[in-house]
C-alpha cells in the first residue's frame, strides 16, 4: 500500500454529514464539554431502549457486573462474527476511499490512536477507564488535550454507528483500530465485542490518564505499569508509531516517524536505532533523523533507546518483524480489552482482511 495522489473530492467525502445534537441536548444530559468541541453524540438504539432483547442483555450484564465487580461484555442479541466482519469491511472500504487523507497517511494512524486513547485511560488500581463505556465524546474526556484531533477519527466512524445502530461506541472505536492495523499490512488482532455505551458521568474518566510525550524512560515504564504492561509489551505497543504523524495543532509535535507512514511494519524500531539529534525549531522538543532531517521521534520514543530494559526489545523487533507482529498483536488486543470482563470461554474474532476475501 502506498501514498497516492490527493483527490480533494475524497477528502471532502471523509466528512460525515451526520446530524449534530444541539448544545441544549448535551446540557440536558449534563455532559457538555466546556471546550465546546464539535463532537457528534453517538446515540445507538441499543441505548435508547428500542431493542428489548438487548435490554435483557444489559440487565444480565449489570447483574453479572454486580457479581463480578467488573464491566461484563454484552454482545447484542444474535450478533456474530459475520455482522462484525460486515462493519469491518465497511470501515476498510472507507479507509481505502480516503488514502490521501493527511498527506497520504490515510486514516490508519488516526484510527489506531483513537482505539488506543479510548482504552489507555484504564487504571488497574481503581478499575476505572478503558474502552468499555465509550466515553470519549463526553466532558471532561473529550476536552483532554491528549485527545486533540481524535474527533476526526470519531467523525469518520460515525456513519457506521448510524448504519449499525446495535454497535456500541467502544466496540466501533476499537474495531476501527483493528481494521487499521490489519489493512495497513499489520498482524491479525484478536478482538472481542461487548462494550456497552454509558451516558453516566460516573463512568467518564478524569483527564490526565494519557501519557506525556516529553518524559523519559522511567516515566514511560511507570505510566504503562498503571495499565498492567511490562517492558516488552511497552516496546511492542510503541511500534505503532510506524503509522501516521504528529500534528502541531494537536500535540505541538510535528511530522511522521518514517516514510512508510501508511504501512504497518517494524520500521519504527529500525529507524530508532539510527542516529537522531534534537530538532532546532520553536515547537516542542523532538528529535529528527541525522540522515534526512525529515522524520521525527518523540522524547518518549528516544527513551526506548536510552534504557537498557527497553533497548533489548527495540533490537529484537528491528531484527525480526514477525516477532514484533506477534508481540504487538497480543499487547494491542490486551490494551483494547482493559477493564472488560468476558464470560468464560468467550472466543475472540479474527477478521479476514479485504484482500483475503477477494
Ligand atoms: C508513551 C506513550 C505514548 C506517547 C507519549 C504517545 C504520543 C503521541 C503523540 C504526541 C502523537 C501525535 C498526535 C498528533 O499530534 O496528532 C501520537 C500519535 C500516534 N500514536 Fe502515540 N503515544 C504513545 C503510545 C502509543 C501507543 C501505545 C499507540 C498504539 C498502540 C500509539 C499510536 C499512535 C499513532 C498510530 C499515532 C499517529 C496518529 C495520527 O496519525 O493521527 N501511541 N502519539
Amino acid at each position: 500500500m502506498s501514498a497516492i495522489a490527493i483527490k480533494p473530492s475524497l477528502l471532502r467525502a471523509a466528512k460525515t454529514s451526520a446530524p449534530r445534537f444541539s448544545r441544549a441536548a448535551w446540557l440536558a444530559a449534563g455532559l457538555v464539554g466546556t471546550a465546546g468541541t464539535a463532537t457528534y453524540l453517538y446515540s445507538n438504539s441499543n441505548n435508547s431502549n428500542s431493542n428489548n432483547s438487548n435490554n435483557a442483555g444489559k440487565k444480565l450484564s449489570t447483574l453479572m457486573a454486580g457479581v463480578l465487580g467488573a464491566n461484563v461484555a454484552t454482545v447484542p442479541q444474535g450478533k456474530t462474527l459475520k455482522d462484525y466482519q460486515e462493519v469491518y469491511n465497511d470501515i476498510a472500504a472507507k479507509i481505502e476511499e480516503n488514502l490521501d487523507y493527511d498527506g497520504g497517511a490515510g486514516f490508519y494512524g488516526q484510527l489506531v490512536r483513537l482505539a488506543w486513547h479510548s482504552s489507555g485511560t484504564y487504571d488497574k488500581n481503581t478499575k476505572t477507564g478503558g474502552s468499555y463505556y465509550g466515553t470519549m465524546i463526553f466532558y471532561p474526556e473529550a476536552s483532554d488535550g491528549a485527545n486533540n484531533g481524535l474527533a476526526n477519527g470519531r467523525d469518520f466512524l460515525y456513519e457506521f454507528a448510524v448504519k449499525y445502530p446495535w454497535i456500541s461506541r467502544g466496540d466501533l472505536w476499537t474495531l476501527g483500530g483493528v481494521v487499521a492495523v490489519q489493512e495497513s499490512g499489520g498482524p491479525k488482532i484478536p478482538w472481542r465485542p461487548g462494550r456497552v455505551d454509558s451516558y453516566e458521568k460516573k463512568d467518564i474518566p478524569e483527564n490526565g490518564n494519557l501519557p506525556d510525550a516529553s518524559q523519559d524512560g522511567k516515566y514511560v515504564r511507570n505510566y504503562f505499569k498503571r495499565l498492567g504492561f511490562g517492558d516488552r509489551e511497552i516496546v511492542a505497543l510503541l511500534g505503532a508509531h510506524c503509522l501516521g504523524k504528529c500534528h502541531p495543532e494537536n500535540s505541538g509535535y510535528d511530522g511522521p516517524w518514517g516514510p512508510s507512514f501508511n504501512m504497518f511494519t517494524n520500521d519504527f524500531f529500525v529507524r530508532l536505532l539510527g542516529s537522531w539529534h534534537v530538532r532546532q525549531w520553536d515547537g516542542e522538543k523532538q528529535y529528527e533523523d541525522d540522515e534526512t532531517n525529515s522524520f521525527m521521534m518523540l522524547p518518549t520514543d528516544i527513551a526506548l533507546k536510552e534504557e537498557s530494559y527497553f533497548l533489548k526489545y527495540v533490537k529484537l523487533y528491528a531484527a525480526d518483524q514477525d516477532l514484533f507482529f506477534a508481540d504487538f498483536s497480543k499487547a494491542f488486543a490486551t490494551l483494547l480489552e482493559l477493564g472488560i470482563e468476558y464470560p468464560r470461554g468467550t472466543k475472540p474474532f479474527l477478521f479476514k482482511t479485504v484482500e483475503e476475501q477477494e
Side-chain angles (χ1 to χ4, degrees), residues 169-181:
R169 295 184 297 264
D171 277 354
L172 186 58
W173 296 339
T174 53
L175 180 57
V178 171
V179 178
V181 170

Side-chain angles (χ1 to χ4, degrees), residues 218-276:
K218 285 178 195 66
Y219 167 92
V220 173
R221 193 182 220 189
N222 202 37
Y223 171 81
F224 279 101
K225 211 171 165 186
R226 198 201 74 215
L227 277 69
F229 289 117
D231 298 339
R232 184 171 182 135
E233 292 162 306
I234 295 170
V235 177
L237 284 171
L238 279 168
H241 281 166
C242 60
L243 291 178
K245 296 177 178 180
C246 292
H247 309 82
E249 69 278 18
N250 292 345
S251 59
Y253 297 100
D254 179 35
W257 286 264
S260 51
F261 43 74
N262 57 3
M263 292 169 71
F264 198 95
T265 66
N266 67 341
D267 192 51
F268 170 82
F269 301 110
V270 176
R271 282 182 183 277
L272 187 57
L273 291 176
S275 303
W276 297 82

Side-chain angles (χ1 to χ4, degrees), residues 70-74 122 129-133 171 174 192-195 335-342:
N71 302 324
V72 178
T74 311
Y122 182 65
S131 63
Y132 185 79
Y133 289 121
D171 277 354
T174 53
R192 290 185 285 187
R195 293 159 189 81
L335 173 69
L336 304 187
E337 293 188 352
L338 290 176
I340 307 174
E341 192 79 39
Y342 290 88

Side-chain angles (χ1 to χ4, degrees), residues 92-297:
K94 188 168 176 181
I95 292 177
E96 194 65 26
E97 284 162 17
N98 290 280
L99 291 177
D100 50 343
Y101 176 75
D102 198 11
F107 271 90
Y108 303 107
Q110 171 72 206
L111 292 178
V112 171
R113 183 168 166 249
L114 175 62
W116 132 242
H117 277 215
S118 65
S119 313
T121 52
Y122 182 65
D123 186 330
K124 74 172 177 163
N125 305 311
T126 57
K127 301 245 183 306
T128 55
S131 63
Y132 185 79
Y133 289 121
T135 47
M136 203 198 284
I137 53 173
F138 299 130
Y139 177 83
E141 201 179 345
S143 71
D144 191 330
N147 287 330
N148 285 351
L150 287 178
N152 294 322
R154 297 194 304 266
D155 289 356
F156 176 91
L157 292 174
Y158 180 74
E159 73 174 79
F160 307 116
V162 174
K163 182 169 176 189
Y164 303 100
W166 44 265
I167 199 167
S168 66
R169 295 184 297 264
D171 277 354
L172 186 58
W173 296 339
T174 53
L175 180 57
V178 171
V179 178
V181 170
Q182 294 195 175
E183 294 299 317
S184 59
K188 287 282 170 86
I189 309 292
W191 180 87
R192 290 185 285 187
R195 293 159 189 81
V196 176
D197 288 345
S198 170
Y199 295 86
E200 291 188 50
K201 190 131 184 68
K202 70 171 177 50
D203 297 325
I204 307 166
E206 288 302 320
N207 287 350
N209 283 305
L210 292 161
D212 172 356
S214 70
Q215 300 290 325
D216 63 8
K218 285 178 195 66
Y219 167 92
V220 173
R221 193 182 220 189
N222 202 37
Y223 171 81
F224 279 101
K225 211 171 165 186
R226 198 201 74 215
L227 277 69
F229 289 117
D231 298 339
R232 184 171 182 135
E233 292 162 306
I234 295 170
V235 177
L237 284 171
L238 279 168
H241 281 166
C242 60
L243 291 178
K245 296 177 178 180
C246 292
H247 309 82
E249 69 278 18
N250 292 345
S251 59
Y253 297 100
D254 179 35
W257 286 264
S260 51
F261 43 74
N262 57 3
M263 292 169 71
F264 198 95
T265 66
N266 67 341
D267 192 51
F268 170 82
F269 301 110
V270 176
R271 282 182 183 277
L272 187 57
L273 291 176
S275 303
W276 297 82
H277 58 268
V278 173
R279 175 172 166 183
Q280 296 307 310
W281 75 317
D282 55 8
E284 295 291 328
K285 180 184 172 187
Q286 66 177 62
Y287 294 80
E288 67 186 0
D289 66 311
D290 288 357
E291 204 183 326
T292 69
N293 292 334
S294 316
F295 306 116
M296 66 92 60
M297 287 284 164

Side-chain angles (χ1 to χ4, degrees), residues 15-48:
K15 298 213 187 295
T16 170
S17 57
R20 280 161 198 263
F21 279 64
S22 71
R23 189 174 164 81
W26 283 76
L27 281 168
L31 293 163
V32 73
T34 50
T37 39
T39 37
Y40 297 126
L41 179 57
Y42 282 53
S43 177
N44 298 334
S45 64
N46 58 346
N47 295 296
S48 54

